[in-house]
Amino acid sequence: MSLISLLIALMAERHLSSPVWQFNTYFQQYLALWKKIDQHGNFFKKNIVAIIFVALPVVLTSLLLHLIENGLVHFIIATVIVIICFGCLKLRDAYKCFLRSAFRGE
């Protein structure tokens, strides 16, 4: 299922170029939410808070998928996550460089 999800995301990434499908859109909203919580600016100085900042969306998504227990829903959510991650411009450029290098046999 992961391979099929990846292939669908690779096909869809050419057609889904709007900001809705880009990682930076959601990351900026998530970062703004955390900045509203941390008004004094010393919240992110602790390492444990930084780990929670990164792990919270992963844990919430995992719990949601565990509660649903439907293969089709898992497949759709996994595909959407991969499409959004491919919407990251830095990741897309790095992946294109990788594909060019692999095609040349390097």
Side-chain angles (χ1 to χ4, degrees):
M1 288 296 230
S2 297
L3 180 61
I4 295 171
S5 224
L6 180 64
L7 291 173
I8 290 172
L10 286 173
M11 288 188 309
E13 66 115 357
R14 291 184 180 174
H15 302 291
L16 302 174
S17 60
S18 71
V20 174
W21 296 103
Q22 293 181 357
F23 173 76
N24 289 338
T25 302
Y26 298 104
F27 182 70
Q28 293 302 325
Q29 291 175 357
Y30 186 61
L31 193 59
L33 174 71
W34 277 85
K35 285 184 180 180
K36 284 182 184 177
I37 294 171
D38 180 26
Q39 295 179 0
H40 299 295
N42 57 2
F43 199 58
F44 285 111
K45 291 182 181 176
K46 297 179 181 178
N47 289 336
I48 191 72
V49 175
I51 292 170
I52 292 171
F53 174 76
V54 173
L56 188 63
V58 175
V59 170
L60 290 177
T61 305
S62 176
L63 286 173
L64 176 71
L65 289 175
H66 183 70
L67 291 173
I68 292 174
E69 292 185 12
N70 186 343
L72 182 62
V73 174
H74 283 242
F75 175 71
I76 292 170
I77 291 176
T79 304
V80 168
I81 289 172
V82 171
I83 289 171
I84 289 172
C85 289
F86 274 150
C88 180
L89 298 177
K90 291 180 183 179
L91 178 65
R92 183 184 295 178
D93 291 338
Y95 185 70
K96 285 181 182 178
C97 288
F98 167 74
L99 287 179
R100 286 187 203 121
S101 297
F103 186 71
R104 289 190 300 249
E106 296 177 353

